[in-house]
Amino acid sequence: MNKTLLVFFAAALLLAACGGNPYQKGMKLASKYDACVDEYFKALEQEGVDFADHLPGDYHSRAAAIEDYLQVLRDCHQKYLEKWGKIYSEEQRARKRMKSSSDRSEFEMGLQSDRECYTFVSVPDLETIEISPAVLQKVRKIIPSKPGEAQIAHDLVGHSLSEGKDDGYYPQSWTWKITEGGVSDLKVVSTQENANSRYTVDVTMQVSSETRAYDTKATVSYVLDDISDWKIENVRSLGMDIVKTHRYDDCVRCYYTKGLAGGLTAENNCEIALEVAGKELTYSGKWEKFCRVIPPHQQVLISYTELDFKVDYVERP
């Protein structure tokens, strides 16, 4: 073999070792990026199959099983994200080795040619992932314990109650939103439905805020879906009765005023707003309830009747 042929083969081997021309180098990296994502999705599918093999196991909570499943997927994501990062580092090194603008241009063209994936996929979460059918099938076999009284009180936070009475003090639009720490003395008094996917109970409890409290009866309906434990579907008030403290009884005075603008009037003689509620006798002969918030040191006309009234309570709103 002559010297010229040896030089040719040496140059060819060097070119092959360097991965070909800039365009081919870019295409090679593009294929690596796409292959990384393809391998990741196949790995995710296998992780689902493997995780399903261990279900239901010792799980008594669907939410706990799904959270562990998500963690397995997140670990898988991290593994392939690191692999993607190594390909990116390889891309950066290759770009730095480009000796001319034309080489860099060819490299970029190859890198973008027929490429499917330009960024790695986001971290798995319940909003974006498609849960493995094998996992979902096994998770459905996990039946969590029915919520007890303490759990019901906790779950009620954020839900709203109406007054729950046909002849109440408040309009139909009035609601009471249950806040953190706003439920006490909750008792389950009866069970209306007790099935694998539905649980409905009647409860008594006291709901409260910083300024007032109500003795309350309600129906709490739970449902059990595929990937979470028991969740409240609906809360229906069966009646709310304000807890009377009698602290402010002497702060509001109700009386009749005369004249064209006269009628049942409430006068607040204290420096805090107060709610006065009661009944008034109408001209039809029926007693109707009223409820008004009276600003500090002000008078409010409740109605134009001048027959009779009863004050049921005065409390802070």
Side-chain angles (χ1 to χ4, degrees), residues 32-47:
K32 285 187 176 182
Y33 279 124
D34 290 342
C36 179
V37 175
D38 288 342
E39 291 171 11
Y40 166 67
F41 283 119
K42 290 178 182 178
L44 275 188
E45 185 176 349
Q46 187 59 47
E47 292 287 4

Side-chain angles (χ1 to χ4, degrees), residues 205-258:
M205 58 185 167
Q206 188 173 102
V207 296
S208 60
S209 67
E210 294 180 355
T211 58
R212 60 172 48 196
Y214 293 89
D215 290 328
T216 304
K217 299 176 182 179
T219 298
V220 185
S221 299
Y222 277 86
V223 293
L224 183 64
D225 66 15
D226 286 336
I227 61 173
S228 64
D229 298 332
W230 293 101
K231 294 173 63 176
I232 292 179
E233 179 188 41
N234 181 52
V235 181
R236 183 168 65 91
S237 174
L238 301 178
M240 299 179 66
D241 295 305
I242 195 166
V243 177
K244 300 175 184 178
T245 64
H246 299 289
R247 294 190 187 102
Y248 312 101
D249 289 355
D250 296 333
C251 290
V252 174
R253 185 169 67 95
C254 291
Y255 54 87
Y256 289 119
T257 55
K258 301 296 184 179

Side-chain angles (χ1 to χ4, degrees), residues 49-68:
V49 173
D50 294 343
F51 188 81
D53 287 341
H54 299 89
L55 292 176
D58 296 329
Y59 285 105
H60 301 287
S61 164
R62 294 184 178 185
I66 290 296
E67 182 55 38
D68 287 350

Side-chain angles (χ1 to χ4, degrees), residues 252 266-268 272-276 292-296 298-300:
V252 174
E267 179 183 300
N268 184 354
I272 56 174
L274 292 168
E275 180 180 282
V276 59
R292 297 286 190 280
V293 174
I294 317 300
Q298 291 189 29
Q299 295 175 336
V300 172

